[in-house]
Amino acid sequence: MSLDFDRLWQGLLDTLMMVGASSLLALLLGLPLAVALVVSGKNDLFPAPVLNRTLGWVVNLFRSVPFLILMVALIPVTRLVVGTTYGVAAAIVPLTLGATPFFARIAEVSLREVDKGLTEAAQAMGFQRWHIVWHVLLPEALPGIVSGFTITLVTMINASAMAGAIGAGGLGDLAYRYGYQRFDSQVMIVVIVVLVALVTLLQYTGDKLARRLNHR
């Protein structure tokens, strides 16, 4: 087998770096976006129908573009932000912009599933609207948000593998350069096993955390 441990370890670290940085950014950007989508409806806490429709349109636009096409389309933006279109840092930009609307929609669903009676009761008790968001909506939706973020992480690992195959590095790059191009099935199998193990670990951890947070 042409793949040594050091190369595999470096590929795993690159993948973790790509997914870790972009997932953190997707969380920081996607959760406020989800909250904005939920509270800005016509009859919601902060009615702003025009803003709501605009945000919804932007989210749907980015969600509808396949990741590989998005990555190519964002080459000028990537070069402007990180100064290069090749490597781990360059992959973080399209991964973030691809994952943010995906996670925002999942988080939005979780927020909308919160019992309306809870928010109405909080309003009747004189809670300020932002207090309702922080102390009612987000805590009640937290298990679903965690589950949604776990799904987002798994999706981003798959996307990072695709990005690696076209120059971003990581496990995808290993599978493509040392497995596919060199017709080395052992390399492909090792990379697949590592990816499956990584996804399984993340899914197990996310599901366990969501169950702990669910007090219903």
Side-chain angles (χ1 to χ4, degrees):
M1 187 174 77
S2 58
L3 178 60
D4 58 35
F5 178 79
D6 290 340
R7 189 174 286 129
L8 177 63
W9 179 248
Q10 187 59 52
L12 176 60
L13 289 179
D14 288 346
T15 294
L16 292 176
M17 187 180 300
M18 278 189 285
V19 174
S22 52
S23 63
L24 177 60
L25 290 171
L27 176 63
L28 295 176
L29 296 172
L31 188 55
L33 180 57
V35 171
L37 286 167
V38 170
V39 303
S40 62
K42 184 176 181 180
N43 298 313
D44 292 314
L45 292 172
F46 298 90
V50 175
L51 175 63
N52 186 272
R53 287 194 296 269
T54 302
L55 290 177
W57 181 84
V58 172
V59 168
N60 290 337
L61 174 65
F62 277 90
R63 285 185 63 210
S64 64
V65 180
F67 176 71
L68 285 178
I69 297 176
L70 180 66
M71 190 170 184
V72 173
L74 289 173
I75 284 177
V77 177
T78 301
R79 184 182 290 112
L80 180 65
V81 173
V82 298
T84 181
T85 59
Y86 184 86
V88 173
I92 292 173
V93 175
L95 280 171
T96 300
L97 292 178
T100 296
F102 179 83
F103 172 62
R105 280 302 188 195
I106 296 178
E108 179 192 3
V109 172
S110 297
L111 289 164
R112 290 195 185 281
E113 288 179 346
V114 175
D115 188 354
K116 286 287 187 182
L118 293 175
T119 58
E120 291 172 357
Q123 285 179 302
M125 294 171 61
F127 277 52
Q128 294 184 2
R129 290 178 293 180
W130 278 116
H131 287 173
I132 295 175
V133 173
W134 281 107
H135 300 293
V136 178
L137 275 180
L138 288 173
E140 289 294 319
L142 191 56
I145 292 172
V146 170
S147 295
F149 189 61
T150 303
I151 295 171
T152 304
L153 281 173
V154 172
T155 303
M156 293 175 73
I157 289 175
N158 296 333
S160 72
M162 288 189 289
I166 56 174
L171 293 172
D173 179 58
L174 284 181
Y176 181 72
R177 283 201 296 164
Y178 297 97
Y180 175 75
Q181 289 189 332
R182 298 184 182 184
F183 304 100
D184 192 335
S185 59
Q186 292 184 23
V187 173
M188 298 288 287
I189 291 172
V190 169
V191 172
I192 289 171
V193 168
V194 172
L195 286 171
V196 169
L198 183 58
V199 167
T200 302
L201 178 61
L202 284 173
Q203 190 68 58
Y204 172 79
T205 304
D207 290 345
K208 188 173 182 178
L209 179 59
R211 285 195 296 268
R212 284 191 176 186
L213 293 171
N214 192 351
H215 302 297
R216 296 175 186 176

